[in-house]
């Protein structure tokens, strides 16, 4: 295997180092899925989503969108309700503790007086929704893995600590084609049909169980990392929210010692996919990759300067993480 890979600006379609990739004690077969789903996650981390243009108390104190609220005075912040209650009970001035870029800060804020009472002048959120792709389904226990990387808050750039989450059907309403320096995306909406539960959001993907799921494809053998090689392969992906289709790709480089979500480099060669999307786009993260009739991994990243090229993670690394989650439950 080659031990070096091209370096380029990446966008998650998302770092630990492994001396040798982990091959989990996995079931012999899994069902590759490739279906686009809606993922809704609740977290106990409250993020400033925006600052008010009319009430500037927080802005004047130096707070910014993306800051994670930790405490207001002595009250620990775990929900949006905690923020409202803490502000209500504060004197005209309060101390806000928050995290920015992994560093904790503290600011004194002079609360503004409004017709509704005291106000910080912030909009907050403690949940996130989006579109992603399910990589595999295990019919033995109903478990699934998706995305191949963790879900991060786009403002704080921090992977969300999930307290609960759900998977829903999704409708892909628009495909924004990728180009040089401009990553594309699948734009869609969450449906109302709940398909399952999210148990964990990890650096190697979102994992949980599916309760309402009808497989469209047959189960295939799980490949070990030693069985993965350069050359022809396929990705399975749904571009319309309906049936997933196979698209031809080529694995150009392998690396067992790099970042665990970038175990191999792949290039899209299927004219149908290139015509529709320009290559790999956001929302295709988690699309299963198959080679020689086996599932070998999932798409994780797209290169901004070349949307026909992206990275994938070994399926064994995803399954090893899923096993650790099961044991900890």
């Amino acid at each position: 295997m080659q031990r070096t890979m091209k370096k380029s600006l990446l966008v998650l379609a998302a770092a630990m180092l492994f001396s040798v990739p982990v091959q989990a004690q996995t079931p012999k077969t899994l069902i590759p899925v490739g279906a686009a789903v809606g993922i809704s996650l609740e977290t106990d981390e409250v993020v400033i989503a925006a600052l008010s243009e009319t009430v500037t108390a927080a802005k004047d104190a130096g707070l910014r969108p993306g800051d994670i609220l930790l405490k207001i005075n002595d009250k620990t912040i775990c929900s949006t309700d905690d923020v409202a209650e803490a502000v209500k009970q504060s004197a005209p001035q309060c101390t806000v503790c928050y995290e920015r870029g992994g560093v904790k800060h503290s600011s004194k804020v002079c609360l503004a007086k409004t017709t509704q009472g005291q106000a910080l002048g912030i909009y907050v959120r403690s949940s996130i929704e989006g579109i992603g792709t399910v990589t595999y389904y295990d019919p033995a226990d109903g478990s699934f893995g998706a995305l191949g990387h963790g879900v991060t808050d786009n403002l704080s750039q921090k992977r969300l600590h999930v307290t609960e989450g759900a998977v829903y059907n999704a409708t892909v309403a628009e495909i924004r084609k990728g180009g040089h320096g401009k990553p594309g995306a699948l734009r869609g909406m969450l449906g109302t049909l709940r398909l399952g539960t999210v148990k964990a959001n990890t650096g190697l993907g979102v994992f949980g169980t599916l309760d309402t799921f009808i497989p469209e494809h047959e189960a295939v053998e799980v490949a070990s990392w030693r069985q993965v090689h350069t050359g022809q392969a396929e990705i399975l992906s749904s571009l319309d929210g309906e049936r997933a289709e196979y698209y031809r790709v080529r694995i150009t480089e392998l690396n067992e010692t790099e970042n665990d979500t970038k175990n191999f480099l792949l290039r899209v060669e299927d004219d149908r996919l290139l015509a529709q999307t320009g290559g790999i786009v956001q929302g295709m993260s988690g699309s299963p990759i198959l080679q020689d009739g086996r599932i070998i991994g999932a798409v994780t990243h797209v290169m901004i300067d070349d949307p026909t090229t992206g990275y994938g993670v070994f399926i064994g690394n995803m399954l090893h993480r899923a096993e650790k989650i099961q044991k900890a439950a």
Side-chain angles (χ1 to χ4, degrees), residues 114-193:
T114 72
T115 54
Q116 286 78 38
Q118 298 183 131
L120 269 173
I122 59 175
Y123 299 94
V124 294
R125 70 175 181 217
S126 60
S127 63
I128 192 169
E129 295 180 342
I131 301 294
T133 298
V134 176
T135 305
Y136 69 83
Y137 172 73
D138 184 355
D141 59 9
S143 64
F144 78 91
L147 301 186
H149 61 71
V151 177
T152 59
D153 181 84
N154 64 341
L155 291 171
S156 68
Q157 295 300 305
K158 182 177 179 180
R159 189 171 76 242
L160 297 175
H161 176 255
V162 173
T163 55
E164 61 179 316
V167 179
Y168 295 87
N169 67 312
T171 301
V172 177
E174 176 191 4
I175 299 175
R176 190 178 71 190
K177 194 171 181 178
H180 182 79
K182 186 179 179 181
L186 302 180
R187 300 294 188 188
M189 298 181 296
L190 275 69
T192 58
L193 177 61

Side-chain angles (χ1 to χ4, degrees), residues 27-41:
K28 204 169 184 182
T29 62
L30 292 172
I31 295 175
V33 180
V37 296
I39 299 175
S40 177
L41 303 177

Side-chain angles (χ1 to χ4, degrees), residues 14 19 25 59 109 133-134 148 171 173 204 207 215 223 247 253 283 298 316 325:
S19 57
Q25 297 297 317
K59 183 178 180 180
V109 181
T133 298
V134 176
T171 301
L204 287 171
F207 300 94
Y247 298 97
E253 296 182 30
I325 293 167

Side-chain angles (χ1 to χ4, degrees), residues 91-104:
Q93 179 175 280
C94 67
T95 300
V96 178
C97 297
Y98 57 95
E99 180 181 322
R100 179 187 297 163
V103 180
K104 293 182 180 180

